[in-house]
Amino acid sequence: ALHVATALRGDAGTALFVALAPIREVSLVATAIALTLGIQEVPNHSLLETLVAYLKNKTLLLILDNCEHVIAEAATVADRLLRACPNLRILATSREPLRAAGERVYRLPSLDKDDAIALFADRAQAANAHFTVTDENAPAIGNICQHLSGIPLAIELAAARVAVLPVQTLAKTFEDRFQVLEGGERTAPQRHQTMRDAIDWSYELLTAPEQRLFERLSIFAGGCTIDAATSVCPDSDLPGDDVPPLISSLVSKSLVVADFDGHEPRYHLLEPFREYAREKLKRCGDEAAVARRHVAAYLELAEYHAMTRGDLHYTIHYEHGRNEIGNWRAAVRWALTERNDVPAGQRLVAEVASSWGDAASTFGDARRWIPVALDLVDEQTPPDVVAKLKHADAFIAMHLSDRHNLQLASALEAIAYYRNVGDEVRLVRAIDLAASAFNDFGRNAEARTILEEGLNIAGKRGLRWHVAIMLRSLAEVCTDEGDLAAARGYLTETLRAAKALDDRFELEGATLDLADLTYREGDPESAVRQLTEVLEKGFSAYYTRRRAVSTQVVLSEYLIALDRYEEARQHAQEALAAGREEHFDVFVARSLEILATIAVLRGASHRPGVQGVAAQILGFAEALLTTLGVERNPYTQHDRVFATLRGTLGADVLATLTAEGATMTEDEAVEAATAL
């Protein structure tokens, strides 16, 4: 608003600024405007009538600053002036709209990352003339701005602290955020002295029901839908029917942010506001009751999506996984980690891990949660919860491509339970996990038998998504058995089923499997082309990172078969970096194996020591894969590489070097492979 006024300053008298924050009586709105204009009351006329008469023929921009605490009167005055004064324009700043006729609302968004950092740097330099943004402190500044949700006042208050604290130290102090965000300019209004004062200003203007809802919304991590808020926030003092209009009111008053970009609207508090509201929730004694309702609501949501996963359009399913992971983390932390409701926490972990462990960034969570949940199993734990936890354990082991013994054992336990109780939907899912493990161990006949059972059940029950899964898994088994014609038939059916479901993830998976099949049929050029096209298109949201890393590993192996070593090396290096970042150990091992293979086969082995280093790296990779329970990839040039190394180094030296490599650390192996 001040920027607009400054832009108009070349035309004398065309912009006037009226500060409404200092007034406390609604009747003083017109008075504040009159004082700014230098107008006195006229006998026998109201002050508003005098303002109308004065402004009627003037061309003027009137800035009304901070209207929220006198919102009704500000709206009345603005409406009257605008109707009577055709050349008058009003620019109002407020935490909620005036809702006067002709109003156009512009909600100021939080600052984006670059603008937030620029503001921080500017204010920090004002507090400490020697402050500069460097490569060392830039990440800490970015973290501070992210913690503060890009709120300018909060950033200004934090930046002022660099006069007494290094940025890196400041970034670590946000556990007590409001204490950090103190010490504004002495000449600033009281509400701008600290972040707490700023939020207090808004909070105290709320009605009692608005305050209760604002406090209870702090239980959500990452926002919520209207349905979730209506499930969690009501009690005897706050009826459920009141929640939607109250949320709308809080959005209007800029205390809740509405996001309409997804499949359904979501509502969230900016982080400083959420922390403030959570403090209020604790003080009033409602936190435990609200947290318990939050756990119950998200357990119900997880159970619903676990059972309807194949019936939902993939964008809806995966969007839910991305949107709600913060709430599931918060619910698991309260129920299980903090032992507030262990049975509910165990159920929640079982449902979330087996249904949503495939959503981006949740593998690490599930891997931590499941052992805790299983360790807390006792004679009081219901058998269905134990079975679900076992299923989840197998699911995570499969998708992390490690611990195949655990995957098989847990899946078989789940199968036994679901067969016994007749839960065919969960039985089919457990069958897929067991079949995958059988296949990894080379027990193809057992995998085929159990998958055919699963396909028969899914077909009879009309479980279309499960049918597609069974078909694709059968294709994998047939491929490994060498029955390529049967595999192509199953994959063709899989593609048809996935298209009918409009499931992009399964379409991608079947396409990748077809590339594998094409390679095995003796056409590596076509296989490379198919994989390259998939990479160029990008992947669906469904654990994109893992699929992309896996595809790069396989592509590099295909490229080696075509002697296109430099391209293969580039993909392997990218897969290695991403695999380490995401803790995909199996892909780390295979990427290292590929880099060593390239060094041996590309003709670089004439360099002194290269073959010896390559042998050590191959020893490390093989040891890691053995530890993970993963069989050697059929695409590797293992026999060819080791034949070359034996011919050059001799069998005894080769055995010694690979044994040495098995004792290397991952960092040592990566450093050595990168230098090849």
Side-chain angles (χ1 to χ4, degrees):
L2 290 172
H3 181 77
V4 171
T6 302
L8 295 174
R9 65 186 175 185
D11 301 323
T14 56
L16 286 175
F17 184 89
V18 181
L20 297 181
I23 71 173
R24 288 293 176 265
E25 298 292 332
V26 295
S27 60
L28 296 178
V29 172
T31 302
I33 298 172
L35 287 172
T36 303
L37 290 168
I39 297 173
Q40 295 182 349
E41 290 192 57
V42 175
N44 302 319
H45 293 281
S46 70
L47 185 55
L48 188 53
E49 290 175 333
T50 303
L51 285 174
V52 168
Y54 179 81
L55 295 171
K56 193 172 189 66
N57 297 312
K58 284 189 168 52
T59 299
L60 181 69
L61 172 68
L62 195 63
I63 297 174
L64 303 181
D65 185 51
N66 275 104
C67 299
E68 59 274 0
H69 61 303
V70 289
I71 194 71
E73 183 66 13
T76 298
V77 171
D79 185 71
R80 176 70 184 281
L81 293 177
L82 290 171
R83 289 180 185 278
C85 308
N87 296 319
L88 178 68
R89 298 292 181 269
I90 293 178
L91 176 58
T93 72
S94 178
R95 283 164 168 77
E96 62 177 305
L98 299 184
R99 295 204 296 273
E103 181 180 34
R104 291 173 179 259
V105 177
Y106 176 75
R107 296 189 180 278
L108 283 170
S110 296
L111 297 178
D112 63 27
K113 181 178 179 180
D114 291 341
D115 287 340
I117 291 174
L119 176 63
F120 184 98
D122 182 77
R123 298 305 188 265
Q125 287 164 357
N128 179 358
H130 300 292
F131 177 84
T132 57
V133 179
T134 65
D135 291 341
E136 289 72 27
N137 65 23
I141 295 172
N143 288 337
I144 291 170
C145 294
Q146 182 179 1
H147 277 302
L148 299 177
S149 301
I151 300 172
L153 175 61
I155 292 169
E156 291 194 11
L157 293 171
R161 302 290 288 174
V162 303
V164 293
L165 288 175
V167 169
Q168 288 83 348
T169 303
L170 183 63
K172 296 176 182 177
T173 61
F174 276 85
E175 289 78 8
D176 191 358
R177 186 167 303 161
F178 289 109
Q179 185 175 349
V180 174
L181 301 180
E182 295 179 351
E185 296 176 1
R186 289 190 179 90
T187 57
Q190 179 61 40
R191 67 186 186 281
H192 290 171
Q193 292 282 348
T194 73
M195 195 65 206
R196 190 185 300 279
D197 288 336
I199 304 177
D200 274 339
W201 169 271
S202 294
Y203 177 83
E204 290 168 4
L205 296 173
L206 300 178
T207 65
E210 288 172 337
Q211 289 178 345
R212 297 294 80 75
L213 181 59
F214 174 63
E215 293 160 3
R216 293 171 188 181
L217 288 173
S218 68
I219 206 72
F220 295 99
C224 65
T225 63
I226 282 286
D227 287 343
T230 304
S231 296
V232 174
C233 296
D235 63 5
S236 57
D237 297 326
L238 183 65
D241 290 344
D242 290 355
V243 170
L246 286 173
I247 284 183
S248 178
S249 178
L250 290 173
V251 170
S252 295
K253 294 175 179 180
S254 303
L255 284 168
V256 170
V257 177
D259 180 0
F260 299 104
D261 289 339
H263 172 69
E264 58 184 325
R266 292 185 66 80
Y267 303 89
H268 69 274
L269 306 179
L270 296 177
E271 198 55 33
F273 288 74
R274 180 172 178 250
E275 186 170 319
Y276 175 96
R278 195 64 179 263
E279 284 186 8
K280 293 284 189 181
L281 186 66
K282 290 178 181 177
R283 288 177 187 173
C284 72
D286 282 349
E287 184 181 33
V290 177
R292 195 172 299 280
R293 294 198 296 270
H294 180 260
V295 170
Y298 279 91
L299 174 56
E300 182 180 350
L301 183 66
E303 289 173 337
Y304 169 74
H305 282 288
M307 295 308 297
T308 58
R309 176 180 172 188
D311 301 322
L312 294 175
H313 189 280
Y314 84 94
T315 55
I316 299 173
H317 177 79
Y318 304 144
E319 183 179 290
H320 272 292
R322 290 193 305 275
N323 288 340
E324 301 299 0
I325 185 58
N327 282 306
W328 276 309
R329 283 173 177 148
V332 170
R333 185 184 309 114
W334 186 86
L336 186 72
T337 308
E338 297 175 4
R339 307 293 197 272
N340 288 306
D341 190 342
V342 170
Q346 289 172 316
R347 286 187 177 276
L348 189 61
V349 166
E351 298 292 0
V352 172
S354 59
S355 178
W356 300 99
D358 48 20
S361 304
T362 62
F363 289 115
D365 292 309
R367 196 174 218 173
R368 292 190 301 272
W369 294 340
I370 293 171
V372 175
L374 286 170
D375 285 345
L376 292 172
V377 167
D378 56 26
E379 63 277 3
Q380 303 298 319
T381 307
D384 71 307
V385 175
V386 179
K388 288 177 181 178
L389 285 169
K390 290 294 185 180
H391 179 276
D393 209 12
F395 181 89
I396 297 302
M398 180 185 73
H399 283 291
L400 289 176
S401 298
D402 64 6
R403 302 186 298 172
H404 294 297
N405 287 315
L406 171 63
Q407 176 186 337
L408 181 57
S410 294
L412 290 176
E413 286 187 55
I415 286 172
Y417 175 80
Y418 293 132
R419 276 205 181 111
N420 186 49
V421 300
D423 187 340
E424 292 186 325
V425 175
R426 295 185 187 275
L427 173 60
V428 171
R429 294 179 183 173
I431 281 174
D432 187 51
L433 294 173
S436 172
F438 278 136
N439 209 36
D440 285 324
F441 287 122
R443 296 161 64 176
N444 305 109
E446 292 168 279
R448 183 194 281 262
T449 299
I450 200 170
L451 284 170
E452 287 172 347
E453 177 192 355
L455 180 61
N456 182 50
I457 294 171
K460 286 182 178 178
R461 287 288 305 271
L463 304 172
R464 296 189 303 156
W465 182 78
H466 297 81
V467 166
I469 298 300
M470 295 295 104
L471 288 168
R472 188 173 159 215
S473 295
L474 278 165
E476 182 180 358
V477 173
C478 291
T479 300
D480 289 344
E481 287 181 329
D483 190 352
L484 303 187
R488 187 167 284 278
Y490 280 129
L491 282 176
T492 300
E493 290 186 62
T494 304
L495 285 169
R496 187 181 301 116
K499 287 176 181 176
L501 290 166
D502 193 20
D503 190 326
R504 182 181 167 192
F505 177 76
E506 290 305 323
L507 281 171
E508 289 170 357
T511 302
L512 295 174
D513 289 349
L514 278 173
D516 172 28
L517 185 60
T518 301
Y519 180 87
R520 295 192 188 219
E521 289 172 337
D523 189 359
E525 287 284 1
S526 295
V528 166
R529 184 168 57 253
Q530 289 169 346
L531 288 188
T532 302
E533 288 175 358
V534 173
L535 279 172
E536 288 175 349
K537 287 180 181 177
F539 292 96
S540 61
Y542 183 24
Y543 70 100
T544 303
R545 188 73 158 163
R546 185 179 183 278
R547 175 165 275 182
V549 175
S550 172
T551 302
Q552 286 196 310
V553 168
V554 174
L555 179 57
S556 62
E557 290 165 339
Y558 291 175
L559 289 165
I560 289 174
L562 293 169
D563 297 334
R564 291 161 62 175
Y565 296 122
E566 193 53 45
E567 294 172 75
R569 178 179 172 79
Q570 179 181 345
H571 286 291
Q573 286 178 325
E574 291 176 7
L576 176 60
R580 297 194 79 196
E581 181 181 341
E582 301 291 340
H583 304 290
F584 297 150
D585 293 341
V586 67
F587 298 136
V588 170
R590 285 183 170 157
S591 299
L592 289 169
E593 188 177 41
I594 291 166
L595 291 171
T597 296
I598 292 169
V600 173
L601 298 181
R602 72 187 298 187
S605 56
H606 65 276
R607 295 196 342 248
V610 166
Q611 288 194 336
V613 173
Q616 290 177 319
I617 294 169
L618 289 168
F620 171 84
E622 188 164 346
L624 178 54
L625 290 171
T626 299
T627 300
L628 297 173
V630 179
E631 288 192 336
R632 183 180 303 128
N633 193 319
Y635 308 139
T636 62
Q637 304 288 322
H638 180 275
D639 294 342
R640 180 182 169 195
V641 169
F642 273 79
T644 300
L645 291 174
R646 275 192 296 270
T648 306
L649 301 173
D652 292 340
V653 173
L654 176 58
T656 299
L657 289 170
T658 54
E660 290 176 357
T663 66
M664 296 171 74
T665 66
E666 182 180 304
D667 287 340
E668 290 171 340
V670 170
E671 182 179 357
T674 304
L676 285 175

